[in-house]
Amino acid sequence: RRRHTRYWRDWSSDVCSSDLGGSGSSQTSFAPLANAVLDDHALQQGLKGIHPAFGDLCTRVAGEVWGKPLIDQATKALITIAIDVVNQGLDGPGTPFEAHVRMALKQNVSFEQIEELLLFTCAYAGFNKAAAGFGKLAEIKARIQAESP
């Protein structure tokens, strides 16, 4: 079971504090991916690391919906975070919350925007669910800042 928890961190750990503008700034400094799934080969390898057939299925299905043109990649990344909060998919083996936060950061979403999203979810998902999201987001932010040189 631990392997799955490590997996989510491994494939999404290529965003570090230095990518976010230096000493913990929350704004990214790189070009967003055109398709946050199909263009992220580390993500695809991580998904295959859970199980090859699972990785292939996730890449095909998620890659297709992430490739739809009417909603931009940053908005899709924020939507996935909101869904994680609603589903309480924040912690434990195989949960993608950290991966989705890092996907959002790769799309030039700031930590402040994610925090505002969590505030927004209070009204629709419940304060307890959003509180858990804030706690997990703080852990992720600290981990990203620790990853910087």
Side-chain angles (χ1 to χ4, degrees), residues 83-106:
I83 291 169
D84 290 340
V85 170
V86 170
N87 290 335
Q88 286 292 271
L90 306 175
D91 207 3
T95 55
F97 184 71
E98 182 167 352
H100 291 154
V101 167
R102 290 178 185 254
M103 286 172 89
L105 296 172
K106 288 179 186 179

Side-chain angles (χ1 to χ4, degrees), residues 59-140:
T59 298
R60 284 193 323 270
V61 174
E64 182 176 334
V65 296
W66 280 79
K68 298 290 184 190
L70 299 180
I71 302 172
D72 64 83
Q73 298 291 291
T75 301
K76 289 175 185 175
L78 288 170
I79 290 168
T80 62
I81 292 169
I83 291 169
D84 290 340
V85 170
V86 170
N87 290 335
Q88 286 292 271
L90 306 175
D91 207 3
T95 55
F97 184 71
E98 182 167 352
H100 291 154
V101 167
R102 290 178 185 254
M103 286 172 89
L105 296 172
K106 288 179 186 179
Q107 297 301 325
N108 293 326
V109 172
S110 68
F111 275 104
E112 290 82 6
Q113 288 172 297
I114 296 170
E115 290 167 349
E116 184 172 321
L117 172 68
L118 294 177
L119 287 173
F120 186 80
T121 63
C122 288
Y124 296 96
F127 289 90
N128 293 338
K129 288 182 178 181
F134 276 110
K136 192 64 180 173
L137 184 64
E139 292 174 18
I140 294 166

Side-chain angles (χ1 to χ4, degrees), residues 3 7 11 37 40-52 55-56 59:
R3 180 173 165 242
Y7 145 74
W11 71 260
V37 174
D40 190 337
H41 299 289
L43 163 64
Q44 293 172 34
Q45 288 306 111
L47 290 168
K48 288 179 182 178
I50 291 176
H51 186 278
D56 289 340
T59 298

